[in-house]
Amino acid sequence: MARDRRSGGRRGKSDRTGGSIDQLPWQQVHNTYPPYQLLNPDQLDQLHATSMRILSEAGIRVMGDNVLDIFERAGAIVDRDTKTIRIDESLVTEALKMVPAEFTLTARNPAKRITLGGTHMNFGLVAGPPNVHDRINGRRPGNYTDYCNFIKLAHHFNAVNLIGNQVMAPIEMPANNRHLDTYLANLAYSDLSFHCTAIGRGRALDGINMMAITRGQKPEEMRDDPGVITIISVNSPRLFDDAMGDGLIAMAEYGQPVTVTPFTLMGAMTPVTLPAALAQQNAEALFGVVLTQLVQPGTPVMYGSFTSNVDMRSGAPAFGTPENAKANIVGGQLARRYGIPYRTSNANASNAVDLQAAYETMMATWGAVLGGANIVYHAAGWLEGGLTASYEKFIMDVEIIQNMIEFLKPMKFDEDELGFDAINSVPTGGHFFGSDHTMARYETAFYRPMLSDWQNYENWEAAGAKDALERATEIWQQALRDYEEPVMDPAIREELDAYVAKRKEEIGAVEP
Amino acid sequence: MARDRRSGGRRGKSDRTGGSIDQLPWQQVHNTYPPYQLLNPDQLDQLHATSMRILSEAGIRVMGDNVLDIFERAGAIVDRDTKTIRIDESLVTEALKMVPAEFTLTARNPAKRITLGGTHMNFGLVAGPPNVHDRINGRRPGNYTDYCNFIKLAHHFNAVNLIGNQVMAPIEMPANNRHLDTYLANLAYSDLSFHCTAIGRGRALDGINMMAITRGQKPEEMRDDPGVITIISVNSPRLFDDAMGDGLIAMAEYGQPVTVTPFTLMGAMTPVTLPAALAQQNAEALFGVVLTQLVQPGTPVMYGSFTSNVDMRSGAPAFGTPENAKANIVGGQLARRYGIPYRTSNANASNAVDLQAAYETMMATWGAVLGGANIVYHAAGWLEGGLTASYEKFIMDVEIIQNMIEFLKPMKFDEDELGFDAINSVPTGGHFFGSDHTMARYETAFYRPMLSDWQNYENWEAAGAKDALERATEIWQQALRDYEEPVMDPAIREELDAYVAKRKEEIGAVEP
C-alpha cells in the first residue's frame, strides 16, 4: 500500500488550480436510489387537498398590483380591498403542465453547467448572513474581503456547484448598490452560476445583465440557456410582498429560473403540526409556481422547502431538527408529485462550529438526500441559524457533501466486484492487503477524506493532536493560498466594470 | 409560550430518578418507514449466490472439534486436516426456517423488556475499548470506576436500551475473572439486559447464571424469556476460533440469543469492493446462524454487520464512512431477506470528540436507521475506532439517538393535524404563537433537545459561550449526580456476591 499520498494524486485539483488539498473532482451528482417514502400516497393526497383549500378558501395576500392584475386576467378571484387572491385547483393544474421537469444553469464555463431536476443533486454556498466567522479572527460583521474569500473557496472546492444570494452582506457598502459588487465578485472570482437578489426588479435585472456580459451575450440570448437563478421567499403565512413579486416577474420575463420558498417555521409562521406546516408550504410554493407560469409559460421554477420549527420556549428558530429532516423529505415527495425541481436546505442553529453544528447539519443534509433535493441551498458554510457564514463550517460542510457524493455512487455489480475468486484466493484468517484484486483497485476503492484524520491516536498526538476544527482552519487557509482566479477576457472584465460604474451612477441614493 | 422549562417537565425522569436532565421517556422505538432499497432484488440475489459459493466451495475454517462434529452430523463436507467446513444452500435454507423472526430480552425489570426483530429499533452502549476518556481527566486505561459510571449513565439515559460486552476493559482486574465484576456492575447499577463475554464457555455461562439469579430464576427457566445475549465475532476471512464457538454453543444450549458478526474491514479482512465484502459478510454470518440452529433449533440469533473500510494509505480502520453507511443499509436488506433480526453499529474513527466524531457518527447512524437495524451496537460512547469509551461522546450520542427516535415517529394525519382552520384563522403575514391550535400542542409539538442550545448568540455568549462539548461535560456530571441505583432485593444481591466469590475461587489462575 502506498502511504503519504495525501498531496495531489487522483483526486487533486492539480489539473485545474495546482492545489494541494485532496478533493473530489467536479462532477454532476446523481441521486439514483429509490426516493424515501416517509408519507404514503394517501397522506400526500391529504396534504395536496388541504393546500388546495388554502389557495381557494383562505387565499394569498399579494402587495403588488401587477401580480393582482396577472391573476385577475387568469380568472382568479381577486379581492382588491384585502389584496387577496383565491385560485382553484384547475389554475394550478394548468400551470404545472407548463413547468419544465428540469433545467440547466450555465455561467461562463460550460463545463460546469449544472442541471436542476430529475436525479441531479447540487450543493449551494451559504447565502444571506449578516456576519462572518473564523477560528482565528472570531465573529464580525460581513464585509467585502470575506465575501470575496468565500467566492474563492466556492470556486476552489468542487463540492460547491452554485453560489447563493450573497454569501454574506458586505455591510460596509451601500445597501442599494452592493449587489453590483457581490455579482462582480461572483463572476470574477468563480466560474459558477449564482442567485440574483430579487428584491425588486432592478437587482434581478442587474444579475441577468452581468451574467450575460460575462457570457458574451445579450440578456435575451440567455432565455434558452439560463445563467442565473433567484429565490422568492414567501412572507409566510400567505403573504407575497411587492419587491419579491417584481423580482420574480423580471426573472420570468427573461426566462431565468426562480425558486419559490415559503418561510415556514412551525409554531411561528405555520401551525406547530407538520402536516399543517407542509400543507401551508405547499400552497404558498404552488402559488408562486402558478405566478411564474402566468408571467411566462415554461419559466423554469423550483419548489422550495424551508420548513423547520422554532424553540417553543424562546421563539428562536431551530434547524437540523428531526422535524426539519422530515420536512426536507416530504418536500421532495411533494415536488416530485408535481414534477417540479426541488430545493431544500442544510441549516443548523448552533452558535459555534461544534458538535451541535455537525449533527444538526447531518440531520438536515440526510433529509435533503432522502428527499431527493436537486439543490441543497446553504450546503456549505451556514452557522447560527443563518446569521453567520463560517470558514471552518464551510470546510466541514465540503467534507460532508463529499461523503454524500460517495454515498450516492451506486455500487458496481459484476463478477469481479463480487470477488469470489479474490475471496477464495486468500487463506482463512489471512488478509487482502496484497492480493491482486486489492492492488488493482486500492487507490480508488474508498473515499479519501479531506478533513477526517484516520491516523492512530499515537501518530495523531505526535502530529499535534489537532482536532477537526483546527484542521479545518488549516484547510481553508491552504485553499486560499492555492486558489487561482479563473482567467477572464480583459474586454469582458472592462465591460463588467463599466456596467457596475454606470449602474451605481444611475441608482444614486435610491433603490435600484 | 412558557420559558425556562428546561428542568423537569413532561420529558423529565422525575417519575423514576428525580433527575434534572430533560430527556425522552423509556420507550420501544419502531422504525416503520418503508426500508431504504439501496440494492435492487437482482443485486441481492447476486450477493446471496456469491455467499453460497463461498460456503460451498471456499468453506469456513473452524478451530473447535465440537463444531466440526456438529456440522459433520448435519451432512456438511468436513475436511479434518484443514478444519474446513463446506455447506450447501439446503443446510442454510433449513436453518433459516427455524430462526425466530424476533425475540425479547428481559433483565430484572420487565417494563424494560426489549424486542429484537421486526420494526423494533434498540440502541446499545459502547463495548470493548481498552481506554476511557473525558474532557476533564483526559484519556486513560479502562478501569472499574469508569466502568461502573458508564453503566450508571446507561441506566440513567432512556435512549440506551442494552449494555454491550464490557463498556471498557477494567484492566486493573485479572483478565480471567474480571467478567464477573463487570456482570455484577451491569446487574447492580442498571436494570438493563447485557451482552455476555463469549470467549469460552465459562464466561458465557457466568453471564447466564448471574442474570438468572438477578431474575430469581434458574438458568433453564430463562429459555423462553432470554435475559442475556452475546456476540460471536468471526475472525474474517472465513475463520471461527474455538473460544467463540464454545461461547456460541453454551448460549444456544440455554436458549439465549447470539449475534454473529463477521469482522469485515474492506481492504484488510475482505476484498476492497463492497459487493465482495458484503457477500463474504453474508456467508460468514449465515454460517454462524446455521451453527446456532444445529446446536439448538429455534435459538434466537441476529445477523451482524460490521463492514467498513480501512485507510488504504495506513491500514488504519475507518468508520462512519460512505462505504460503511452503504454496508449498514445493505446488511439490513440481507437480514430482512432471510428473516433474521439485524444488528449493526454506530462507529467512528476520530481521536477526539470533535466535528469528525459527530459527522462520522451520523453517517453510521443514518445507515443503521435506513438499514432497519434492530439493534445499533456501540450506539453511545464509542470513540477512536473503538479504542476509547468517551463520556462526552456518550452524551452527544444520546442526543443523536433521541433525534432519531423523534425522526422515526410517524406523523399523525387527521383534520386537526392538517390544520386548515388554524391556518385560515391567522391573518396573512401574522404569526401562530398564540393561536388556539398552537397553545393546545406547543409543549409536545417538537423535540426538545438535551444537548443542543438554540439560544440566540447574545444570550449564548452571556451564558458563557459554552460549545456543545463543554455542555456535554456538564450533562454527564449532572447525570451521575442525579443517578439513582435501582433497588435490588438484598437476598439477591447476596446471592450474586456469593456467586462471584465462588467462581473467582473456582477459576483461580486459569481460564474460566
Side-chain angles (χ1 to χ4, degrees), chain B residues 100-327:
Chain B
E102 62 179 53
F103 62 89
T104 59
L105 275 177
T106 314
R108 57 169 152 139
N109 179 0
K112 289 170 111 178
R113 174 179 290 124
I114 62 172
T115 302
L116 295 148
T119 60
H120 296 80
M121 185 162 196
N122 299 280
F123 300 91
L125 182 63
V126 57
N131 303 304
V132 59
H133 169 270
D134 71 77
R135 204 173 57 82
I136 308 297
N137 302 301
R139 183 177 183 262
R140 55 200 183 272
N143 63 80
Y144 195 61
T145 304
D146 286 309
Y147 186 97
C148 295
N149 279 344
F150 269 85
I151 301 303
K152 292 173 182 175
L153 292 174
H155 177 76
H156 187 78
F157 287 102
N158 295 319
V160 180
N161 310 119
L162 185 64
I163 295 169
N165 174 29
Q166 290 195 350
V167 52
M168 78 199 63
I171 64 165
E172 79 277 26
M173 294 177 154
N176 69 338
N177 69 26
R178 66 167 75 125
H179 66 282
L180 295 161
D181 298 287
T182 60
Y183 292 164
L184 188 63
N186 298 346
L187 292 164
Y189 296 129
S190 90
D191 57 5
L192 301 174
S193 184
F194 66 89
H195 280 69
C196 300
T197 302
I199 302 173
R201 187 173 177 85
R203 290 184 178 88
L205 291 178
D206 284 335
I208 296 169
N209 287 330
M210 289 175 71
M211 178 57 82
I213 291 169
T214 310
R215 286 178 23 177
Q217 293 180 310
K218 297 200 187 320
E220 48 274 21
E221 290 175 324
M222 297 209 304
R223 186 175 300 283
D224 297 329
D225 184 12
V228 287
I229 184 169
T230 196
I231 285 180
I232 304 297
S233 293
V234 184
N235 287 342
S236 306
R238 298 187 293 118
L239 178 64
F240 275 66
D241 73 24
D242 47 357
M244 289 286 187
D246 290 348
L248 181 154
I249 291 171
M251 296 291 284
E253 283 175 1
Y254 281 89
Q256 302 303 294
V258 169
T259 302
V260 184
T261 308
F263 190 38
T264 39
L265 293 182
M266 292 183 278
M269 298 84 142
T270 79
V272 290
T273 54
L274 261 166
L278 291 163
Q280 184 186 317
Q281 167 192 292
N282 197 49
E284 294 173 351
L286 289 177
F287 183 87
V289 168
V290 171
L291 175 57
T292 60
Q293 302 309 304
L294 293 178
V295 173
Q296 183 72 52
T299 295
V301 61
M302 298 195 86
Y303 182 110
S305 168
F306 200 72
T307 296
S308 192
N309 52 296
V310 299
D311 178 356
M312 292 308 289
R313 284 170 289 180
S314 66
F319 300 101
T321 64
E323 295 81 7
N324 181 216
K326 289 181 185 182

Side-chain angles (χ1 to χ4, degrees), chain A residues 109-128:
Chain A
N109 179 359
K112 290 170 111 177
R113 174 179 290 122
I114 62 172
T115 302
L116 295 148
T119 60
H120 296 80
M121 185 160 196
N122 299 279
F123 300 91
L125 183 63
V126 57

Side-chain angles (χ1 to χ4, degrees), chain B residues 205-449:
Chain B
L205 291 178
D206 284 335
I208 296 169
N209 287 330
M210 289 175 71
M211 178 57 82
I213 291 169
T214 310
R215 286 178 23 177
Q217 293 180 310
K218 297 200 187 320
E220 48 274 21
E221 290 175 324
M222 297 209 304
R223 186 175 300 283
D224 297 329
D225 184 12
V228 287
I229 184 169
T230 196
I231 285 180
I232 304 297
S233 293
V234 184
N235 287 342
S236 306
R238 298 187 293 118
L239 178 64
F240 275 66
D241 73 24
D242 47 357
M244 289 286 187
D246 290 348
L248 181 154
I249 291 171
M251 296 291 284
E253 283 175 1
Y254 281 89
Q256 302 303 294
V258 169
T259 302
V260 184
T261 308
F263 190 38
T264 39
L265 293 182
M266 292 183 278
M269 298 84 142
T270 79
V272 290
T273 54
L274 261 166
L278 291 163
Q280 184 186 317
Q281 167 192 292
N282 197 49
E284 294 173 351
L286 289 177
F287 183 87
V289 168
V290 171
L291 175 57
T292 60
Q293 302 309 304
L294 293 178
V295 173
Q296 183 72 52
T299 295
V301 61
M302 298 195 86
Y303 182 110
S305 168
F306 200 72
T307 296
S308 192
N309 52 296
V310 299
D311 178 356
M312 292 308 289
R313 284 170 289 180
S314 66
F319 300 101
T321 64
E323 295 81 7
N324 181 216
K326 289 181 185 182
N328 280 357
I329 295 169
V330 176
Q333 292 191 269
L334 290 164
R336 280 189 300 280
R337 176 192 171 111
Y338 302 122
I340 316 175
Y342 178 48
R343 167 255 158 124
T344 188
S345 297
N346 162 18
N348 73 90
S350 187
N351 289 302
V353 186
D354 64 356
L355 304 176
Q356 179 185 341
Y359 63 70
E360 287 185 343
T361 288
M362 287 298 267
M363 285 300 287
T365 303
W366 273 101
V369 168
L370 297 176
N374 299 118
I375 171 81
V376 186
Y377 207 61
H378 308 300
W382 161 299
L383 193 66
E384 202 198 313
L387 296 178
T388 293
S390 159
Y391 283 80
E392 281 83 15
K393 179 65 164 46
F394 175 93
I395 295 299
M396 177 179 73
D397 288 343
V398 167
E399 177 73 292
I400 287 173
I401 294 168
Q402 293 197 148
N403 268 272
M404 291 300 175
I405 291 173
E406 291 287 323
F407 173 78
L408 291 172
K409 275 190 192 156
M411 280 184 230
K412 208 171 120 188
F413 264 76
D414 61 27
E415 279 304 308
D416 255 17
E417 297 286 310
L418 283 160
F420 173 77
D421 292 338
I423 292 167
N424 199 25
S425 71
V426 169
T428 57
H431 66 79
F432 292 76
F433 284 123
S435 82
D436 291 345
H437 190 267
T438 301
M439 294 308 284
R441 293 169 175 79
Y442 77 94
E443 287 198 72
T444 56
F446 308 132
Y447 170 58
R448 273 168 42 184

Side-chain angles (χ1 to χ4, degrees), chain A residues 153-167:
Chain A
L153 292 174
H155 177 76
H156 187 79
F157 288 102
N158 295 318
V160 180
N161 309 119
L162 185 64
I163 295 169
N165 175 28
Q166 291 196 350
V167 51

